[in-house]
Amino acid sequence: INSNSGGSRSCGSMYAQITMPPHKVHACAILQNGSLVCTGGSDRTLRLWRLPNSPTTTNTSTSTSTVHAENIATIKTGSCINAICISLNETHIYTGHSDNSLRIYNYNDTSTNNSLECIKTLSNLHTNSITCIRQHPYDENTLLTSSKDNKLLLINVNVNVNINPSSTAGKGSIITLRNKNLIIGNMSENSNIIAFSYDGKYIAAGSSNGSICIFDSITGNLQAYLAPCNIGRGITSIQWGNVGLVSADKSGRIVLWQ
């Protein structure tokens, strides 16, 4: 985005293009200060792409010579990827799948080798497709997931600990967040409808009826219910910053909540 002295803004030229025909890209994430992009989609692969150092631009106002990113690592996952999240220290990549599982990957980046390795699969957490994954802003081991089973889960994903939801030890590692107003089952499988507050104390979750539920991230209790601004228009994206909560819905409306 370019901004001039008069305050008006215009879109900049395209920097690089990633193409995976004929497959759809359902999720992506940027890491290493924008030098790498991680993608996943309907082809059931997790891919890493290296972006060029600088775009080749003929004229920023009229035309751009497209630069294609380089695919440096690919791993088969066995299931369609709906969500991708990068750990705070960028050592792990988390993926949410249509087979209800959460997978954890190690990423090794050296000058001579770029590799992805699946180190853990958590397959018994949800009973339907995972739609979104969020990393806690300060706790490296805490993830938040949403699913078409209408549940949110706070999960301890310490890579040195095996999480088993059916065991006594595993129950202490998972908190379930659920409310009658939280309806996710009829939403798109790759909807960004959950977010931590910037201090990590609260969780916001958007519903297909346009409402938003606010949960306590420690106890999982409902703290507030925000009635829909546009009834029947489901939340499509949500983000939380220090100025407030921002949501977008299917009507194209963007709302700032305080």
Side-chain angles (χ1 to χ4, degrees), residues 1-71:
I1 302 296
N2 300 319
S3 178
N4 60 29
S5 58
S8 64
R9 296 172 182 265
S10 62
C11 290
S13 57
M14 182 173 65
Y15 177 55
Q17 180 172 310
I18 294 174
T19 306
M20 292 169 50
H23 305 288
K24 292 182 179 180
V25 177
H26 290 171
C28 64
I30 296 174
L31 61 159
Q32 293 194 355
N33 295 319
S35 63
L36 295 178
V37 175
C38 182
T39 64
S42 61
D43 67 342
R44 302 182 178 185
T45 64
L46 180 66
R47 298 172 184 258
L48 278 176
W49 308 79
R50 190 178 301 281
L51 297 180
N53 292 329
S54 61
T56 304
T57 305
T58 57
N59 188 324
T60 56
S61 61
T62 57
S63 64
T64 299
S65 180
T66 301
V67 177
H68 290 273
E70 177 190 3
N71 185 198

Side-chain angles (χ1 to χ4, degrees), residues 189-224:
E189 288 193 338
N190 50 324
S191 301
N192 295 315
I193 49 84
I194 53 175
F196 280 101
S197 61
Y198 68 96
D199 57 7
K201 293 181 179 180
Y202 300 100
I203 292 166
S207 178
S208 63
N209 63 7
S211 65
I212 298 174
C213 294
I214 308 295
F215 296 94
D216 186 299
S217 66
I218 302 298
T219 65
N221 295 331
L222 183 71
Q223 297 296 299

Side-chain angles (χ1 to χ4, degrees), residues 72-144:
I72 59 174
T74 300
I75 187 170
K76 294 181 179 180
T77 65
S79 176
C80 177
I81 298 174
N82 299 325
I84 294 176
C85 182
I86 309 298
S87 66
L88 294 178
N89 60 10
E90 296 192 346
T91 58
H92 298 99
I93 299 173
Y94 307 111
T95 57
H97 296 260
S98 293
D99 66 359
N100 318 336
S101 68
L102 173 70
R103 291 176 170 86
I104 304 175
Y105 292 86
N106 259 345
Y107 168 58
N108 177 36
D109 179 23
T110 67
S111 58
T112 58
N113 179 48
N114 295 277
S115 63
L116 291 166
E117 177 189 10
C118 183
I119 58 174
K120 182 176 293 187
T121 298
L122 307 178
S123 57
N124 298 313
L125 301 177
H126 287 284
T127 58
N128 209 328
S129 299
I130 293 177
T131 62
C132 188
I133 307 172
R134 296 292 194 193
Q135 169 82 68
H136 190 283
Y138 301 113
D139 186 352
E140 181 74 32
N141 294 321
T142 299
L143 280 187
L144 175 68

